[in-house]
């Protein structure tokens, strides 16, 4: 069974940066599309970003485009989310999730899909002055 663990969250001031990590064990992440999600208090969970198996394609929610960058390092079995120019509205618990896809599937999976199979425990990001 694939297991995911997020880390790197914390308290930062508006305009600051954080780098979140999603570390996998039990299987190689190169078989999976990886998504980042977040959930703020009192709000629905929302998709943040997705990266395909090869790392050659990624997408982002409009609210984080130009500020966040997702990447993967299959040698370390990790996926990262670099978050820059953070805003108070970015405050949330951030989760990574994985869904296995065949090798010919070179795009991402919708964040609204019910196919996301594996989830991490989440890491808290708080942006406040």
């Amino acid at each position: 069974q694939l297991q995911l663990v997020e880390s790197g969250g914390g308290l930062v001031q508006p305009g600051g940066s954080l780098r979140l990590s999603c570390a996998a064990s039990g299987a190689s992440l190169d078989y999976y599309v990886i998504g980042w999600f977040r959930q703020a208090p009192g709000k629905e969970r929302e998709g943040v970003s997705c990266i395909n198996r090869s790392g050659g394609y990624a997408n982002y929610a409009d609210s984080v485009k130009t500020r966040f960058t997702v990447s993967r390092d299959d040698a370390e079995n990790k996926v990262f989310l670099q978050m820059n120019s953070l805003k108070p509205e970015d405050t949330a618990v951030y989760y990574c999730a994985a869904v296995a896809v065949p090798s010919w599937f070179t795009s991402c999976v919708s964040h609204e899909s019910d196919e996301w199979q594996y989830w991490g425990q989440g890491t808290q990001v708080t942006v406040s002055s």
Side-chain angles (χ1 to χ4, degrees), residues 28-89:
S28 295
L29 277 183
D30 58 359
Y31 293 97
Y32 297 87
V33 166
I34 305 298
W36 285 97
F37 300 77
R38 67 186 182 185
Q39 187 165 24
K43 298 181 68 176
E44 298 291 320
R45 185 180 66 201
E46 64 174 333
V48 175
S49 183
C50 178
I51 188 165
N52 74 346
R53 280 183 54 160
S54 70
Y57 172 82
N59 63 35
Y60 303 88
D62 287 343
S63 59
V64 307
K65 283 180 179 176
T66 75
R67 299 190 298 119
F68 291 11
T69 303
V70 65
S71 61
R72 62 192 301 160
D73 185 341
D74 289 337
E76 295 191 5
N77 220 24
K78 292 180 178 179
V79 174
F80 304 97
L81 185 67
Q82 179 67 46
M83 306 187 297
N84 299 324
S85 302
L86 284 162
K87 304 174 181 180
E89 50 263 45

Side-chain angles (χ1 to χ4, degrees), residues 59-126:
N59 63 35
Y60 303 88
D62 287 343
S63 59
V64 307
K65 283 180 179 176
T66 75
R67 299 190 298 119
F68 291 11
T69 303
V70 65
S71 61
R72 62 192 301 160
D73 185 341
D74 289 337
E76 295 191 5
N77 220 24
K78 292 180 178 179
V79 174
F80 304 97
L81 185 67
Q82 179 67 46
M83 306 187 297
N84 299 324
S85 302
L86 284 162
K87 304 174 181 180
E89 50 263 45
D90 295 317
T91 296
V93 177
Y94 283 71
Y95 301 88
C96 62
V99 53
V101 299
S103 61
W104 52 262
F105 190 88
T106 59
S107 61
C108 274
V109 174
S110 171
H111 287 93
E112 286 68 48
S113 173
D114 61 2
E115 295 184 277
W116 295 99
Q117 298 169 278
Y118 304 101
W119 294 79
Q121 84 290 349
T123 185
Q124 176 71 50
V125 172
T126 302

